[in-house]
């Protein structure tokens, strides 16, 4: 039988590439649910092509448009956040691919886990904000979480066949983004157009800016802690501009495994969706002759402070990472709207960490309140600066 996939965030970069994988493997995968926030036109096109049982448009103002367009098809249309969290519980769903951006992915993922659905996780913020809660829920409901981020997929692939062999450390690779090697004087004047030009990957605006500030790598460090049950000192980051080595695992005997390949998110997507089996693909193949030099360097934590901040909150625990995530989401949006400068993103995060109440053992309700309080504070701080 086909594996029925619910894709949360089907109109984004990960969602559209997941549908390409499904389209290339129609005997293996089917689409059960598609959801989007605002991109009604693309959601309608996807629904007509893949014929899910249900679609959800998050923006309730767009419900009538989507409903009218799909009225002649056997597709149930819903709207709003409540529909988003309930639709993942449907019995005919085998796996939920969480490809939503940011904090918004947390509650639907919780509901999917409680409903016993395996998770293909592309929404790193879910584990960043509430890693302890999510991992404990997954264990309780016997749900598997398969990483979709290329770096975490690489670690996951390197661990295949290793059984109980202890990890000494993992090494997450980072491209360094568009500003690798630049100093803070240069970064003070960069524009969003410059920041959105990632050298190796094609991604959405939010994650592209996060890559430019190295916050994306910081979030991945926190995510790795929960995915692989590691301590902060077991997680290294190294800058690898070619993005061929996607990450590495070092074991207690000193041996290192690396997962390599040309940058293409469809590979980790399909590995997560069809684990433990590898699907034959027509993706371009890596050739060592085309890359005679693979280089590596230490990240500049003084210039790119967000990665250092991520390590600090990982050590601190509690709701600290939730504060960082919320402040970063507000700050990145402000940067994209030309309200603050590039370096101002870190300023908003640091100030939020200093002002928002720290909770050592947060509940889900605490995460919700922390997220809301941080967003209010960060927004007010930006308004004062403007």
């Amino acid at each position: 039988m086909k594996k029925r996939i619910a894709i949360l965030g089907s109109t984004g970069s990960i969602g559209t590439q997941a549908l390409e994988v499904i389209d290339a493997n129609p005997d293996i995968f089917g689409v059960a649910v598609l959801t989007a926030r605002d991109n009604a036109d693309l959601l309608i096109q996807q629904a007509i092509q893949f014929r899910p049982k249900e679609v959800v448009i998050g923006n309730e103002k767009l419900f009538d448009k989507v409903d009218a367009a799909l009225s002649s098809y056997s597709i149930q249309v819903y709207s709003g956040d409540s529909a988003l969290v309930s639709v993942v519980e449907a019995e005919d769903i085998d796996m939920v691919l969480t490809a939503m951006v940011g904090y918004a992915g947390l509650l639907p993922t919780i509901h999917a886990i409680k409903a016993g659905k395996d998770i293909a996780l592309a929404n790193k913020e879910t584990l960043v904000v509430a890693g302890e809660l999510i991992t404990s829920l997954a264990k309780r409901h016997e749900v598997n979480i398969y990483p979709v981020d290329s770096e975490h997929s690489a670690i996951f692939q390197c661990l295949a066949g290793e059984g109980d062999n202890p990890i000494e450390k993992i090494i997450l690779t980072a491209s360094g983004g568009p500003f690798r090697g630049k100093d803070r004087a240069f970064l003070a004047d960069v524009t969003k157009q410059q920041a959105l030009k990632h050298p190796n990957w094609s991604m959405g605006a939010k994650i592209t800016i996060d890559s430019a500030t190295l916050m994306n790598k910081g979030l991945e460090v926190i995510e790795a802690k929960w995915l692989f049950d590691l301590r902060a000192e077991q997680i290294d980051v190294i800058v690898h501009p070619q993005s061929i080595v996607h990450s590495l695992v070092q074991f207690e005997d000193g041996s290192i495994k690396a997962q390599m390949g040309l940058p293409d998110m469809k590979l980790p997507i399909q590995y997560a969706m069809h684990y433990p089996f590898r699907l034959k693909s027509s993706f371009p193949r890596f050739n060592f002759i085309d890359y005679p030099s693979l280089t590596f360097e230490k990240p500049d934590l003084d210039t790119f402070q967000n990665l250092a901040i991520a390590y600090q909150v990982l050590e601190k625990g509690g709701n600290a990472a939730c504060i960082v995530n919320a402040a970063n989401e507000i700050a990145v949006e402000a940067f994209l709207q030309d309200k603050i400068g590039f370096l101002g993103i870190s300023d908003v995060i640091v100030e939020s960490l200093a002002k928002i109440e720290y909770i050592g053992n947060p509940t889900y309700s605490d995460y919700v309140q922390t997220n809301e309080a941080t967003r209010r504070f960060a927004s007010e701080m930006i308004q004062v600066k403007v």
Side-chain angles (χ1 to χ4, degrees):
M1 295 179 62
K2 294 182 181 181
K3 179 179 284 188
R4 301 277 292 171
I5 311 291
I7 303 179
L8 309 185
S10 66
T11 60
S13 176
I14 296 296
T16 54
Q17 291 180 83
L19 287 173
E20 290 177 24
V21 170
I22 293 172
D23 190 41
N25 299 276
D27 296 332
I28 297 173
F29 303 115
V31 176
V33 174
L34 296 175
T35 83
R37 170 56 58 180
D38 295 304
N39 196 340
D41 292 333
L42 182 53
L43 179 64
I44 291 166
Q45 294 174 26
Q46 293 174 339
I48 292 173
Q49 179 180 355
F50 291 96
R51 304 297 175 88
K53 183 178 178 181
E54 299 166 312
V55 302
V56 178
I57 181 72
N59 186 339
E60 296 183 4
K61 295 178 180 179
L62 297 172
F63 171 79
D64 289 340
K65 178 178 182 177
V66 177
D67 190 49
L70 300 179
S71 61
S72 60
Y73 302 91
S74 299
I75 300 172
Q76 186 66 52
V77 179
Y78 302 100
S79 66
D81 293 336
S82 60
L84 187 63
V85 299
S86 62
V87 75
V88 296
E89 300 171 350
E91 290 185 3
D92 62 343
I93 294 173
D94 299 306
M95 172 176 279
V96 176
L97 170 60
T98 60
M100 300 171 66
V101 176
Y103 175 87
L106 175 59
L107 190 56
T109 304
I110 289 174
H111 278 252
I113 291 172
K114 288 182 176 179
K117 312 300 182 184
D118 282 343
I119 306 295
L121 187 68
N123 174 256
K124 64 175 64 67
E125 291 86 354
T126 289
L127 286 180
V128 170
V129 169
E132 187 170 6
L133 172 64
I134 293 297
T135 52
S136 63
L137 278 176
K139 290 177 182 177
R140 188 184 315 158
H141 294 276
E142 298 181 339
V143 162
N144 296 306
I145 298 178
Y146 301 109
V148 171
D149 272 346
S150 61
E151 294 82 0
H152 301 92
S153 176
I155 300 299
F156 187 54
Q157 293 179 59
C158 288
L159 292 175
E162 290 296 339
D164 295 325
N165 287 328
I167 298 172
E168 185 167 290
K169 69 176 179 179
I170 67 171
I171 305 166
L172 301 176
T173 56
S175 70
F179 305 134
R180 180 177 65 89
K182 304 299 184 182
D183 59 19
R184 291 182 67 81
F186 177 89
L187 296 180
D189 296 320
V190 300
T191 65
K192 66 182 178 184
Q193 289 77 18
Q194 291 173 294
L196 287 169
K197 292 181 179 178
H198 194 281
N200 299 334
W201 296 94
S202 176
M203 305 174 291
K206 163 64 165 56
I207 190 173
T208 303
I209 300 302
D210 281 349
S211 294
T213 66
L214 289 195
M215 177 53 81
N216 188 55
K217 202 54 50 180
L219 299 179
E220 288 176 2
V221 167
I222 299 171
E223 182 184 9
K225 179 259 189 299
W226 297 110
L227 280 173
F228 306 112
D229 192 23
L230 300 172
R231 302 181 306 278
E233 59 267 24
Q234 291 179 285
I235 308 170
D236 282 354
V237 171
I238 191 165
V239 175
H240 169 49
Q242 297 81 22
S243 294
I244 296 299
V245 178
H246 297 303
S247 280
L248 313 93
V249 177
Q250 181 169 303
F251 297 93
E252 289 191 333
D253 62 355
S255 177
I256 295 179
K257 277 188 178 182
Q259 190 268 327
M260 304 171 64
L262 295 174
D264 191 333
M265 281 305 301
K266 289 192 289 294
L267 194 151
I269 289 169
Q270 69 178 36
Y271 188 77
M273 293 199 308
H274 201 47
Y275 179 83
F277 306 106
R278 292 186 180 272
L279 289 171
K280 185 177 181 180
S281 79
S282 58
F283 306 155
R285 268 40 177 181
F286 169 73
N287 187 332
F288 277 97
I289 303 304
D290 296 330
Y291 291 83
S293 177
L294 298 179
T295 61
F296 304 89
E297 58 198 58
K298 293 178 64 175
D300 181 354
L301 299 186
D302 293 327
T303 300
F304 297 93
Q305 296 177 347
N306 285 353
L307 180 54
I309 292 170
Y311 273 103
Q312 292 166 12
V313 300
L314 180 56
E315 291 279 11
K316 189 172 184 178
N319 67 335
C322 182
I323 296 170
V324 166
N325 182 74
N328 181 64
E329 289 188 15
I330 294 297
V332 169
E333 184 61 28
F335 173 69
L336 289 170
Q337 295 176 2
D338 299 314
K339 293 181 178 179
I340 62 173
F342 186 79
L343 293 178
I345 297 174
S346 295
D347 294 340
V348 172
I349 295 168
V350 170
E351 191 67 18
S352 297
L353 272 172
K355 297 297 185 180
I356 300 301
E357 179 186 5
Y358 171 72
I359 303 172
N361 296 291
T363 63
Y364 173 72
S365 177
D366 292 326
Y367 289 126
V368 172
Q369 293 175 16
T370 297
N371 176 68
E372 293 175 351
T374 304
R375 288 173 185 275
R376 283 195 304 270
F377 174 81
S379 297
E380 292 168 0
M381 178 183 173
I382 289 166
Q383 287 299 322
V384 170
K385 287 180 176 294
V386 173

